[in-house]
Amino acid sequence: MSSPRFPAQNALKRLLNRFLPRGRVGTDPALAGSQGRYRPVPVYNLKMPWLAATDLRRSRRPNEFAFEEGKKLTVIIPFRNRDEHLAALRPALEAQLDGQHIDYRILVVEQAGDGIFNKARLINTGILHAADDSDYYCIHDVDNIPVNADYRCPSLPLRLVTKLQTTHRRETEYKDHYFSGAITFRKEHAFAANGLSNQYWGWGKEDDDFFFRLLMQGLCCFADYQGVYRDLANPQSQHFTKATQKRVSPQLSANRHRRNSMLRLQLDPAHDGLNSLTYSILAAHTEGRFEKIVVDIGSQG
C-alpha cells in the first residue's frame, strides 16, 4: 500500500482555522435527493471553523453507492473482559454472514494487561494483521448483536446499524451523524485514511476522528437505515453521563480536545495511524474462521 495522502493545508488557512470560532457545518450537499435504505451520513453535526467547514461542504458530492460480491471480509472486534458479550455476538454474527454467503473471518483483538483501553489501536492492529487476506473490513462493537444487517462489500464506507433493540425490548435509533457500532469499508479506504489515530485512550471520539479521516480522502460515508441490532448492556455506559464524564473519565476530555484539533485541521493524519502503530502478539487461537489474538499495544505515555 502507498503512503496516505491528505489534502495539503495552506499555511494561512491553518493559522485561521486554529483561532477562528467554531460552528456547525450547516447544510450538506450530499444529502440532496437522498432516500432509500442507504443514505449519506451527514456532516452538519461537525463543529468546525467556518473556513474549514466551507471547504468541506464544497468537496461534498452525492456519490453512487453499490455493493461488490465475491470479496473477502475480516470482522475486527476490539475486546477486553467482555466474554459474555462475545459469546452472544459470535453465533448471531456467524448466522448473518453464512446466510449472506460471505467469505469471512472473525478476528477478535484483545488488549493485554489492565492499562487504559485503546480501541483504535486494537482496530489498527486487526487491519494490519489481516491485510494480506482481506478485501474489506468490518469494525464491530462486541455489544452490538446483528438482527438485520448487510455485511456485503460496500463501494463506500457504510454504517450498518441505525435501529437498536434494547434489553427492555424497546427500539431506539442512532442519530444520523453517528459513525460507529458496526462499520464496513474497503481495504483501500483503511489505508488511504491511515486507519485510526493511535492517541485516543479510554472511551470516546476515536470514531469521530476516523469519520473525518475518511471525509478528508473524499469518501462519502453511508448508513443503512434498515440496519437493526440488539444492544447489550455496556458496563462502560456509566462513564458517559454528562454529570460524571469528566470526573470518571478524564481521558474523554483529552480525546475531545484531540478530535477538535483534527476538525480545525491542526493535526496531520498521515503521521499517526497504521504507519506509526507498534504492537506484539502475545497469544493466538484459531478455530475455523474464528481467530483471537492477545496483543501488547503499549501504554499511554
Side-chain angles (χ1 to χ4, degrees), residues 56-192:
L56 176 62
R57 289 186 70 254
R58 285 175 178 169
S59 70
R60 295 280 283 173
R61 296 290 182 272
N63 294 83
E64 183 177 348
F65 182 82
F67 292 100
E68 188 173 358
E69 306 294 339
K71 297 296 183 181
K72 293 183 178 181
L73 166 66
T74 295
V75 180
I76 299 172
I77 303 172
F79 180 84
R80 188 170 65 179
N81 300 330
R82 306 282 285 278
D83 293 290
E84 289 186 7
H85 288 176
L86 182 60
L89 171 61
R90 182 178 172 183
L93 180 58
E94 289 174 343
Q96 290 274 329
L97 296 169
D98 289 335
Q100 294 171 36
H101 307 291
I102 291 174
D103 184 1
Y104 71 91
R105 66 190 288 198
I106 296 173
L107 175 62
V108 176
V109 186
E110 179 177 3
Q111 181 173 334
D114 57 1
I116 300 173
F117 193 69
N118 190 313
K119 178 181 177 182
R121 288 195 182 197
L122 297 178
I123 292 170
N124 282 344
T125 297
I127 290 173
L128 292 175
H129 180 71
D132 291 340
D133 196 36
S134 304
D135 296 310
Y136 69 114
Y137 301 99
C138 176
I139 53 177
H140 207 298
D141 286 353
V142 72
D143 53 6
N144 278 3
I145 312 300
V147 176
N148 178 32
D150 194 336
Y151 287 95
R152 291 178 293 168
C153 181
S155 58
L156 291 160
L158 176 68
R159 186 194 77 207
L160 305 187
V161 53
T162 293
K163 299 179 181 179
L164 277 180
Q165 297 175 350
T166 68
T167 53
H168 302 291
R169 298 293 180 183
R170 289 179 292 186
E171 191 171 274
T172 61
E173 288 194 7
Y174 282 133
K175 295 181 179 179
D176 290 347
H177 59 264
Y178 182 78
F179 197 69
S180 190
I183 305 291
T184 49
F185 50 93
R186 303 173 74 95
K187 181 165 67 174
E188 56 264 34
H189 299 159
F191 281 87

Side-chain angles (χ1 to χ4, degrees), residues 211-223:
F211 177 52
F212 192 61
R213 285 169 176 245
L214 294 169
L215 293 179
M216 291 177 71
Q217 291 300 308
L219 296 167
C220 185
C221 301
F222 277 71

